[in-house]
Amino acid sequence: MKLLIFGKSGQVGWELQRALQPLGEVVALDASDADFADPRSVRSAAEAVGPDVIVNAAAYTAVDRAETDEATAMLVNAESVRELAAVAERRGAWLVHYSTDYVFDGKGSVPWCETDTAAPLNAYGRTKLAGEQAIAASACKHLVFRSSWVYAARGQNFVRTMLRLAGERQDLRVIADQHGVPTSAEFLADATCLAILRAHSSGGDGLSGTYHLAPRGHTCWHGIACETLRLAAAVGATLRVTPERVAPIGAADYPLPAPRPSNSRLNVDRVEALLGIRCPDWRVHLERTVAELVRGSNA
Ligand code: NDP
């Protein structure tokens, strides 16, 4: 099997380069090989490699910047994705793609199912939804994984920010009225490997579709911050801020350019049932990542 990964230097792309190795030959590209703001360059790169599976982890992920740069975000998150779907369709290849809880408006408190109506609140969500729709409109075999609140031991993410700020400040104020689940890039990559194996060996496109892929359980940003600091202290980090000094605040007290959904919970029953993936509790991978970050900073 020949696999082509886009977005190799991002949080998920980096982990995919490790996780997909057992499946076959892996070719991994970044923006210098194919610029997603130029969809033709993406099509050319994909055609030149000639893969059996395309895994797209490249995306315009600057949620707030997208509010004033929606045209570029649309090229990256939708138009280039349309080109990948066309290449996959022509080749009979699978396309694996990632989307987001931000396609939902966040109303209510029930975890979102794949069949629920998408209604993005912000520009990023609109462009990601357009990417999903471009794939669905093509006839390519696809796995679209909607995930939420991704973090890793590298890259820009909430967990790393909390550890840094807890070393610099005396106390922290963190949003407590947006609910969801943090997802480790490591878990996403490992689950993607299992899903590709299952889909590829199924032969046809019976498993083709959209899946919610995230850990089980849920929390809020304040909950992640407190758990991160607790786990860090447990493995010897010296931090100024203890969990007790993290104050819960409302999203209204921390205004950002892009509105975020209040309810980002994702129902993962479908991915577990159809693709045979077990989604662990969110604390399992957080503990590993925090330990890796603390040991790395002590080394
Ligand atoms: P990152 O921001 O860590 O990585 C994004 C990757 O896309 C980087 O490798 C980046 O390259 C690349 N990229 C950005 N712009 C371009 C461009 N114009 N041309 C080519 N490559 C480009 O994202 P994640 O790994 O966190 O996200 C992976 C997927 O998961 C995305 O589809 C995202 O929408 C989705 N997702 C992410 C969530 C999150 O909280 N981060 C939540 C839910 C879903 P470079 O580094 O060179 O800029």
Side-chain angles (χ1 to χ4, degrees):
M1 195 190 310
K2 189 170 188 181
L3 303 109
L4 171 57
I5 299 171
F6 285 101
K8 74 172 186 181
S9 49
Q11 299 187 93
V12 176
W14 178 257
E15 290 296 334
L16 284 168
Q17 286 184 75
R18 167 192 59 77
L20 301 189
Q21 292 297 332
L23 294 181
E25 182 190 351
V26 174
V27 178
L29 305 181
D30 65 15
S32 65
D33 304 301
D35 180 1
F36 274 57
D38 174 10
R40 282 171 309 176
S41 78
V42 175
R43 183 181 62 212
S44 308
E47 279 171 346
V49 172
D52 304 301
V53 182
I54 300 170
V55 186
N56 178 34
Y60 188 115
T61 54
V63 175
D64 291 313
R65 186 155 27 102
E67 290 297 298
T68 51
D69 192 18
E70 189 164 348
T72 311
M74 195 62 88
L75 284 173
V76 174
N77 290 345
E79 294 311 319
S80 282
V81 174
R82 187 187 310 282
E83 294 296 337
L84 291 182
V87 173
E89 184 179 347
R90 271 198 297 279
R91 294 191 51 76
W94 280 90
L95 173 60
V96 181
H97 178 72
Y98 300 92
S99 191
T100 169
D101 54 297
Y102 284 12
V103 299
F104 294 116
D105 65 12
K107 290 194 181 131
S109 57
V110 176
W112 296 100
C113 291
E114 289 83 350
T115 47
D116 289 331
T117 304
L121 296 176
N122 58 41
Y124 168 73
R126 285 192 292 275
T127 64
K128 292 296 291 184
L129 180 60
E132 290 186 10
Q133 289 166 340
I135 294 172
S138 86
C140 76
K141 295 178 290 185
H142 60 272
L143 301 172
V144 173
F145 293 124
R146 285 191 192 133
S147 195
S148 63
W149 302 7
V150 176
Y151 67 92
R154 53 181 276 140
Q156 279 197 340
N157 60 66
F158 181 79
V159 171
R160 293 189 68 205
T161 301
M162 287 302 109
L163 287 174
R164 177 174 54 78
L165 293 179
E168 293 170 3
R169 300 197 182 161
Q170 301 295 339
D171 43 42
L172 294 173
R173 298 163 70 241
V174 181
I175 292 171
D177 59 0
Q178 289 171 349
H179 302 273
V181 69
T183 305
S184 148
E186 196 178 19
F187 165 65
L188 274 182
D190 291 340
T192 297
C193 179
L194 288 173
I196 291 173
L197 206 53
R198 174 66 62 98
H200 196 258
S201 62
S202 77
D205 60 1
L207 295 176
S208 194
T210 298
Y211 297 85
H212 290 174
L213 182 57
R216 290 246 173 218
H218 65 87
T219 181
C220 61
W221 296 109
H222 178 264
I224 306 170
C226 292
E227 185 66 3
T228 296
L229 302 192
R230 189 188 70 74
L231 290 166
V235 288
T238 313
L239 302 171
R240 293 182 177 193
V241 182
T242 58
E244 299 71 40
R245 296 192 66 87
V246 183
I249 61 168
D253 299 320
Y254 192 75
L256 291 166
R260 268 76 167 169
S262 303
N263 173 25
S264 281
R265 300 175 183 97
L266 296 174
N267 181 316
V268 295
D269 289 349
R270 184 166 197 258
V271 81
E272 290 197 338
L274 293 188
L275 292 177
I277 289 160
R278 197 178 76 80
C279 298
D281 183 86
W282 62 273
R283 295 172 192 84
V284 172
H285 285 83
L286 184 64
E287 183 172 5
R288 287 175 54 85
T289 303
V290 170
E292 191 179 341
L293 286 166
V294 170
R295 295 204 179 103
S297 66
N298 289 342

